[in-house]
Amino acid sequence: GLKEVWVFAESVGQAPGVDRFVSRSRRMVEGRGESLRLVEWGSQEPCESFDPGSTVLELEVWCSGDEEKALNAVEKGFRRILVKTSDWKVIPWENLVAKLRGRAMIIAEASSVEEAKLALRALELGVDAVALDMPLEEASKAAEELKSIEAVLRLREATVEKVSEAGVGLRACIDACDNMSPGEGMLI
């Protein structure tokens, strides 16, 4: 489906192409006929005080341990995770797309159109939405360009019907056994 474009703004405004407005001061995400609560990971609010289904969890990702927090949040029922990353953005986005795709909506915070494009193309699949940290008018212009970005790769389940020896030829060996867990594979 189409990617969503969110924008950081203190109030809902007129911005064609923008799907949701994120207010950090009011701790709300509004748009698409919904008002969602914005909750920061590690905030003092007890988990029982909000419904994970109507909440956007804001999470800073600085290291792989933070990516695990996102995984834990999804296991607790959170379905929308707004991710803020350090200057090193692409790898965390790719890791989150790999771990959470289809299980939760990943929204990447971006401060430029170029950054948003990178996020929307992470692992050829992309995050589900970008939250633009820019003025409304700029966000509205960017939305038109960003919404046309589609996942380049469509993955689906397949069945191996036959395995046969192909003889001797050119080969490449990729030894990643130490880096993978059971059930993980590689797409080449």
Side-chain angles (χ1 to χ4, degrees):
L2 284 176
K3 307 288 185 170
E4 285 189 21
V5 175
W6 299 15
V7 68
F8 288 96
E10 286 315 305
S11 59
V12 175
Q14 288 298 99
V18 172
D19 296 291
R20 299 180 196 260
F21 298 83
V22 182
S23 169
R24 282 198 170 119
S25 66
R26 294 185 302 116
R27 308 303 304 162
M28 294 293 293
V29 176
E30 296 167 291
R32 293 200 147 197
E34 293 180 296
S35 278
L36 306 168
R37 229 165 130 189
L38 182 65
V39 175
E40 205 170 341
W41 176 271
S43 69
Q44 299 308 305
E45 295 178 77
C47 286
E48 300 77 41
S49 70
F50 47 81
D51 167 23
S54 61
T55 301
V56 176
L57 183 67
E58 188 173 15
L59 177 66
E60 291 191 11
V61 175
W62 305 106
C63 63
S64 59
D66 294 332
E67 292 168 13
E68 289 306 310
K69 290 177 188 171
L71 215 49
N72 293 339
V74 170
E75 286 166 10
K76 288 181 179 157
F78 288 95
R79 293 292 166 256
R80 296 176 184 93
I81 300 178
L82 173 58
V83 180
K84 179 183 174 80
T85 55
S86 64
D87 293 338
W88 192 50
K89 298 174 183 309
V90 177
I91 299 298
W93 288 334
E94 288 181 343
N95 290 344
L96 288 168
V97 167
K99 291 175 182 174
L100 301 178
R101 180 132 181 111
R103 295 178 62 196
M105 180 181 203
I106 307 162
I107 306 101
E109 185 174 325
S111 54
S112 69
V113 174
E114 291 70 31
E115 210 172 88
K117 284 180 182 177
L118 276 174
L120 290 168
R121 291 184 174 127
L123 274 193
E124 307 296 322
L125 297 165
V127 297
D128 302 291
V130 287
L132 303 174
D133 194 0
M134 59 180 62
L136 268 186
E137 198 175 302
E138 284 179 46
S140 190
K141 284 180 191 166
E144 191 176 324
E145 187 178 349
L146 296 172
K147 285 195 172 208
S148 65
I149 294 175
E150 284 188 46
V152 178
L153 198 56
R154 301 222 187 278
L155 298 179
R156 61 178 193 257
E157 202 170 300
T159 305
V160 176
E161 294 179 356
K162 181 179 167 189
V163 177
S164 62
E165 197 156 323
V168 178
L170 295 176
R171 309 166 217 235
C173 177
I174 301 173
D175 186 359
C177 294
D178 294 339
N179 298 325
M180 289 188 194
S181 300
E184 292 181 329
M186 196 175 293
L187 178 65
I188 301 172

